[in-house]
């Protein structure tokens, strides 16, 4: 990070290579669209370049710091765009016949994505950070600027919400 502060583009490239995939996956899962995610991810790494001096390794790992930036940019995006809600038709659930069951299984990932997009942003962020990004509860709580207990509460509420939404589709 000191080398990035000094303008070392090769150091920046190495950090980009290491952290771009993880941050990009997080942002895609948060926004639900790759176009918006691309813009936000680019902004994360632009901020890495322009604000590298703000990083303090005593406070957080680099991955946590980058996810914090991504999280804040996603929240800003949601505030500008309004809350993303599930627009699917709840009557469109698969029936019990075999072709419907096959269709249901093939589209389970899409249903999970839709359910994830339907829960509140803070719950979604907690779930994505801990379950998809592999951050510890402590790292995710730090990223979201909340206590570990508050994060665990968000995770519990998020899981309940996801379970309820997914049960509605079964």
């Amino acid at each position: 990070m000191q080398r990035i502060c000094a303008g070392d583009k090769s150091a920046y490239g190495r950090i980009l290579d290491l952290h771009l995939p993880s941050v990009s996956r997080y942002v895609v899962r948060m926004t639900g669209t790759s176009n918006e995610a691309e813009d936000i991810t680019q902004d994360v790494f632009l901020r890495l370049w322009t604000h590298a001096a703000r990083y303090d390794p005593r406070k957080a790992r680099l991955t946590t710091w980058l996810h914090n930036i991504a999280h804040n940019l996603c929240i800003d995006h949601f505030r500008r765009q309004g809350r993303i809600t599930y627009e699917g038709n709840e009557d469109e659930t698969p029936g019990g016949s075999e072709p419907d069951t096959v269709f249901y299984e093939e589209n389970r990932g899409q249903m999970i994505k839709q359910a994830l997009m339907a829960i509140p942003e803070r719950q979604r962020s907690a779930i994505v950070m801990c379950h998809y990004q592999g951050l510890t509860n402590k790292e995710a709580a730090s990223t979201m600027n909340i206590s570990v207990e508050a994060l665990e509460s968000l995770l519990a509420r998020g899981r309940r919400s996801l379970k309820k939404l997914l049960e509605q589709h079964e």
Side-chain angles (χ1 to χ4, degrees):
M1 288 301 289
Q2 292 172 344
R3 290 176 46 202
I4 292 173
C5 289
D8 185 336
K9 292 179 183 175
S10 67
Y12 176 76
R14 286 190 17 229
I15 297 292
L16 190 68
D17 289 343
L18 287 172
H19 296 282
L20 178 65
S22 176
V23 170
S24 180
R25 281 191 307 271
Y26 169 74
V27 176
V28 166
R29 286 183 177 119
M30 285 298 293
T31 63
T33 65
S34 59
N35 288 338
E36 292 170 342
E38 264 184 44
D39 293 341
I40 292 171
T41 301
Q42 287 177 358
D43 202 12
V44 169
F45 288 96
L46 175 64
R47 290 180 188 212
L48 167 66
W49 180 256
T50 59
H51 302 303
R54 293 183 184 174
Y55 172 66
D56 183 352
R58 295 170 298 190
K59 291 184 179 178
R61 293 185 324 161
L62 181 58
T63 189
T64 305
W65 187 70
L66 291 171
H67 278 83
N68 187 3
I69 294 169
H71 170 76
N72 290 335
L73 290 172
C74 287
I75 298 303
D76 290 346
H77 168 76
F78 294 138
R79 286 182 183 143
R80 282 191 308 273
Q81 301 297 319
R83 171 86 171 97
I84 296 175
T85 57
Y86 173 67
E87 297 174 4
N89 182 349
E90 291 184 17
D91 295 331
E92 295 176 4
T93 57
S97 67
E98 187 174 281
D100 287 343
T101 302
V102 171
F103 175 81
Y104 173 77
E105 290 301 323
E106 289 175 356
N107 291 292
R108 181 88 172 147
Q110 185 62 29
M111 290 178 3
I112 292 170
K113 179 181 174 183
Q114 288 175 337
L116 196 57
M117 293 307 297
I119 65 175
E121 291 88 6
R122 289 172 51 87
Q123 292 175 16
R124 179 171 57 242
S125 188
I127 288 172
V128 169
M129 283 186 206
C130 293
H131 292 284
Y132 291 101
Q133 297 304 110
L135 272 63
T136 66
N137 285 5
K138 184 177 178 181
E139 290 169 334
S142 174
T143 296
M144 296 177 71
N145 295 316
I146 59 176
S147 69
V148 173
E149 293 80 16
L151 176 85
E152 290 170 351
S153 178
L154 285 172
L155 287 169
R157 289 194 315 268
R159 289 180 191 122
R160 282 192 303 269
S161 298
L162 283 175
K163 182 179 178 183
K164 182 178 178 182
L165 288 167
L166 291 171
E167 284 174 347
Q168 291 174 355
H169 290 285
E170 292 182 354

